[in-house]
Amino acid sequence: MVTVPLQLGFGVAAIGLLFLLLIIVAVWQSVEIVDAYEKEALTVFGEYRKLLQPGISIIPPFVSRTYAFDMRTQTLDVPRQEAITRDNSPVTADAVVYIKVMDAKKAFLEVDDYKKAVSNLAQTTLRAVLGDMELDDTLNKRQEINAKIRQELDEPTDEWGIRVESVEVREVNPSKDVQQAMEQQTSAERRRRAMILEAQGERRSAVEEAEGEKQSNIIRAQGEKQSQILEAQGDAISTVLRAKSAESMGERAIIERGMETLEEIGQGESTTFVLPQELTSLVGRYGKHLTGSDVESQGEGLEGLEFDEETRQMLGLDNIDEILGQIDEAAEMDVDELEQEAEAVKTGEAGIKSADEVIEEMDEEELSETEAGTETETETE
């Protein structure tokens, strides 16, 4: 009789524990926590109900399922793909696609696995885009490839609620044979450019040297011209000054010369001398002005000898000041002009062309001659 109540008590306790455990599990199943960067699709008995927003949500326990979608930008690696370009050159390329889930409901209902779907679509699109381009374009127009792939991915991914934010092709590599040919072509192009640059450098050096020699000759010629002008001006000034000095010599210079002649005559052995009357007259006049002379001073003192009009005109004695002024003015003007011209030559403002201008003119002449020759050949044909 005691055993039956005990068994009944254990059964009730077990049922209570099970019920309590069921309640705990039900509460646990009914509480869903969604992270801030996610949204979750809720299904009840397999039927889509709604999207669970970030935070705590209450859902029916045991009969509900949730599917999480990351709402952040995600990165998908596109495996390396092989393609044949339009000019039949094999290339390999890989890319990275950046996507973002814009509508979690479409991503849940419209596509099985949106990541796998976008990756496969990017692979086929990459091969198609490379196949429509030539080899040189695939190597040089990376941005154009990215834009074409993104454009091809936009339409189908919009139906899945996915937005393709960016596509970046990482590497495009041609085959080894093509790479070797390209390296040889690049090497030949570099050698050609080096030869062209060397030839241009030699031509420019020759032009610079010729221009320098030309400027040097001009400056040297200007210096010689200035020196000759100054020398001629000095001779002219000296001549005029000598003429002016000759005017002031006059009679006094003749008397002094006569006295020197008398002294030379007195040193001779002869005791008899014949003197011109003009000389004796001049000596007498000169003696009257000597200190302590016993000859009475009569008349005026010695005066300079006056040149006749023809002689004065020939020597230019009447216009000495005017001539000197003109010479000085001409000398000053010529020297200033020569210095200005020499400075202009040095600074390159004298109309002398630079090396670059000479080279450009030579290139234009060569181009004109080439075009003229081409037109002549065309007319002849």
Side-chain angles (χ1 to χ4, degrees):
M1 297 296 295
V2 178
T3 304
V4 174
L6 290 175
Q7 292 178 351
L8 182 61
F10 282 119
V12 173
I15 292 172
L17 290 175
L18 290 174
F19 184 74
L20 179 61
L21 181 61
L22 181 61
I23 292 175
I24 293 173
V25 173
V27 171
W28 176 261
Q29 289 287 329
S30 62
V31 176
E32 183 69 21
I33 299 176
V34 182
D35 292 330
Y37 55 86
E38 289 182 339
K39 287 184 180 180
E40 293 185 359
L42 174 64
T43 60
V44 179
F45 292 107
E47 181 183 358
Y48 173 79
R49 292 293 179 88
K50 63 177 181 179
L51 290 176
L52 300 180
Q53 302 298 324
I56 298 176
S57 300
I58 304 301
I59 62 176
F62 305 113
V63 294
S64 301
R65 293 184 64 183
T66 58
Y67 302 88
F69 290 90
D70 194 335
M71 306 302 293
R72 298 172 296 182
T73 300
Q74 304 173 57
T75 303
L76 298 180
D77 287 331
V78 180
R80 184 171 293 275
Q81 302 296 311
E82 294 183 357
I84 303 297
T85 61
R86 189 167 59 185
D87 52 354
N88 297 324
S89 296
V91 295
T92 58
D94 61 346
V96 178
V97 181
Y98 299 90
I99 63 173
K100 188 174 183 178
V101 178
M102 303 303 297
D103 190 343
K105 181 179 179 180
K106 287 185 178 181
F108 175 66
L109 297 176
E110 300 295 335
V111 64
D112 179 18
D113 185 349
Y114 68 90
K115 290 184 178 180
K116 184 178 181 181
V118 173
S119 177
N120 291 335
L121 182 60
Q123 294 176 30
T124 57
T125 304
L126 176 60
R127 291 195 297 268
V129 170
L130 294 178
D132 290 338
M133 302 178 67
E134 295 185 355
L135 177 62
D136 292 339
D137 294 338
T138 60
L139 299 177
N140 300 327
K141 299 181 179 180
R142 191 70 56 86
Q143 295 298 328
E144 183 177 343
I145 297 175
N146 296 338
K148 287 183 177 180
I149 295 176
R150 181 179 177 181
Q151 183 179 0
E152 293 294 332
L153 294 178
D154 276 341
E155 184 176 353
T157 54
D158 284 343
E159 298 179 359
W160 301 338
I162 308 298
R163 183 180 70 187
V164 178
E165 294 188 338
S166 178
V167 178
E168 297 293 335
V169 176
R170 289 186 294 194
E171 290 184 358
V172 178
N173 296 323
S175 62
K176 293 183 178 180
D177 295 339
V178 175
Q179 287 182 359
Q180 292 177 357
M182 292 174 63
E183 290 175 357
Q184 293 176 358
Q185 181 181 2
T186 303
S187 178
E189 180 67 18
R190 288 177 178 174
R191 288 196 300 269
R192 184 183 68 85
R193 291 181 180 178
M195 294 175 64
I196 291 175
L197 291 176
E198 183 178 359
Q200 290 179 347
E202 292 178 356
R203 182 172 65 172
R204 178 163 185 169
S205 176
V207 172
E208 291 284 356
E209 184 177 357
E211 288 294 327
E213 185 176 356
K214 180 179 179 181
Q215 293 181 6
S216 177
N217 292 334
I218 292 174
I219 294 174
R220 188 182 301 110
Q222 295 285 2
E224 292 177 357
K225 178 181 178 182
Q226 181 179 357
S227 176
Q228 293 175 2
I229 291 174
L230 292 177
E231 183 178 357
Q233 291 170 352
D235 292 342
I237 293 173
S238 176
T239 301
V240 173
L241 291 178
R242 285 197 300 269
K244 191 173 183 180
S245 175
E247 181 187 21
S248 64
M249 280 176 57
E251 191 177 55
R252 188 180 301 277
I254 297 174
I255 294 173
E256 291 178 356
R257 180 59 181 170
M259 295 300 294
E260 292 177 359
T261 304
L262 290 176
E263 183 180 355
E264 293 177 357
I265 295 173
Q267 293 177 358
E269 296 179 355
S270 176
T271 59
T272 303
F273 305 101
V274 179
L275 299 176
Q277 181 179 359
E278 292 80 0
L279 181 59
T280 57
S281 176
L282 289 174
V283 171
R285 293 177 59 191
Y286 180 72
K288 294 178 182 180
H289 297 277
L290 296 179
T291 303
S293 175
D294 56 354
V295 181
E296 294 183 359
S297 177
Q298 297 178 358
E300 298 179 354
L302 293 175
E303 296 180 354
L305 179 63
E306 296 293 337
F307 293 98
D308 56 15
E309 183 178 356
E310 183 178 357
T311 304
R312 294 180 65 86
Q313 185 177 3
M314 180 182 65
L315 295 176
L317 297 178
D318 295 332
N319 301 321
I320 288 178
D321 294 335
E322 182 180 355
I323 293 173
L324 290 176
Q326 292 178 355
I327 291 175
D328 293 337
E329 183 179 357
E332 182 179 359
M333 180 183 65
D334 293 340
V335 171
D336 292 341
E337 290 181 356
L338 290 175
E339 290 179 352
Q340 292 177 1
E341 292 178 1
E343 186 66 24
V345 172
K346 292 180 180 178
T347 57
E349 299 178 357
I352 298 177
K353 298 180 180 179
S354 63
D356 293 335
E357 294 177 349
V358 175
I359 291 174
E360 290 179 0
E361 290 183 358
M362 294 171 63
D363 293 339
E364 291 177 358
E365 291 179 358
E366 292 178 359
L367 181 61
S368 300
E369 293 177 358
T370 303
E371 293 178 352
T374 305
E375 294 178 356
T376 303
E377 292 179 358
T378 304
E379 293 177 357
T380 303
E381 292 177 357

